[in-house]
Amino acid sequence: AYPMQIARVDGLLVASDPQLLFDAVGDRPAIDWDAIARHLIAPNLCRARTCLESVVELAGGERLSATPAAAVDTLWTPWTFVSPDRRLDDKAAAAERVRETILSSVAAQASCHKRTVLLLSGGLDSSIVAAALANSGHAFAGLTMVTHAAGGDERAFAGRVAAHCAFPLHATMREASAVELERSAGRDLPYPNERNFSQATRAVADPLAA
């Protein structure tokens, strides 16, 4: 569910979820307050250093060598493809390349699961993922969260996507009662980057996924 996390505790521990590291060590690491400050200033800037001491993140496209130095190599970076010699001026060819890349990437991600729940707003990004999932033949259902304000009701858009791609769509009201303000939605994450209203989404999405 989360990117791979690495921690040093008299050795090297690697896990896909920070909580697995905490369970293995038998304790929670201290908060890295300098990292917290950097994260609050630029929350969308990806860094290896997390907001927990001794816990760093192995990003996509990187390789960890389990040596005494725990070396990390970058195998893939998007900067490779923005150099002038990689420019593609044919718009049709560029669009087709983007399309094929999206289809293959989404199909690869979905192949790890028998069924998937897609959070669908009816906007561009989630609609593209829905089309790619349908193209792959992967079994999935859509979930769109609805607010009481008209601006948060996108059922018409999500419904058109579901009808066009032929997958079941569930629409559920996002209820404020499902949000506990005293409980941090990001308590199990290495960065404080989860909004509390996501609790209402998870309260519906998790049972639907099960």
Side-chain angles (χ1 to χ4, degrees):
Y2 303 117
M4 184 174 292
Q5 313 296 326
I6 310 168
R8 279 222 173 247
V9 188
D10 297 328
L12 179 69
L13 296 179
V14 181
S16 59
D17 188 318
Q19 189 60 49
L20 296 175
L21 296 177
F22 308 151
D23 293 343
V25 175
D27 194 11
R28 296 182 69 87
I31 295 174
D32 186 334
W33 292 106
D34 288 340
I36 286 281
R38 293 188 181 92
H39 178 74
L40 292 176
I41 292 170
N44 295 319
L45 183 61
C46 297
R47 306 177 182 86
R49 181 178 177 182
T50 73
C51 297
L52 302 174
E53 288 187 0
S54 301
V55 179
V56 297
E57 182 176 63
L58 187 68
E62 293 182 340
R63 175 181 62 191
L64 170 68
S65 299
T67 63
V72 174
D73 303 313
T74 299
L75 303 181
W76 183 91
T77 171
W79 296 110
T80 302
F81 304 95
V82 298
S83 59
D85 61 311
R86 300 298 293 268
R87 177 172 171 171
L88 188 59
D89 292 321
D90 186 327
K91 292 184 178 181
E96 182 60 24
R97 184 173 296 181
V98 170
R99 177 182 183 277
E100 291 301 323
T101 300
I102 291 173
L103 292 178
S104 62
S105 299
V106 172
Q109 290 275 20
S111 66
C112 301
H113 311 281
K114 290 183 178 180
R115 287 181 57 83
T116 300
V117 172
L118 170 66
L119 298 180
L120 179 67
S121 67
L124 178 63
D125 295 344
S126 59
S127 297
I128 289 175
V129 176
L133 282 171
N135 182 80
S136 72
H138 182 72
F140 72 103
L143 170 63
T144 185
M145 301 298 294
V146 183
T147 68
H148 294 280
D153 187 351
E154 298 180 292
R155 282 176 289 187
F157 303 113
R160 291 179 182 178
V161 175
H164 180 75
C165 297
F167 62 87
L169 176 65
H170 303 265
T172 304
M173 297 299 298
R174 189 191 301 276
E175 299 293 348
S177 58
V179 178
E180 299 178 37
L181 295 179
E182 300 84 2
R183 180 169 64 91
S184 170
R187 68 193 186 283
D188 296 324
L189 302 177
Y191 310 93
N193 60 352
E194 189 80 357
R195 295 179 174 88
N196 274 343
F197 72 76
S198 65
Q199 294 180 27
T201 302
R202 289 188 176 276
V204 178
D206 289 348
L208 179 60

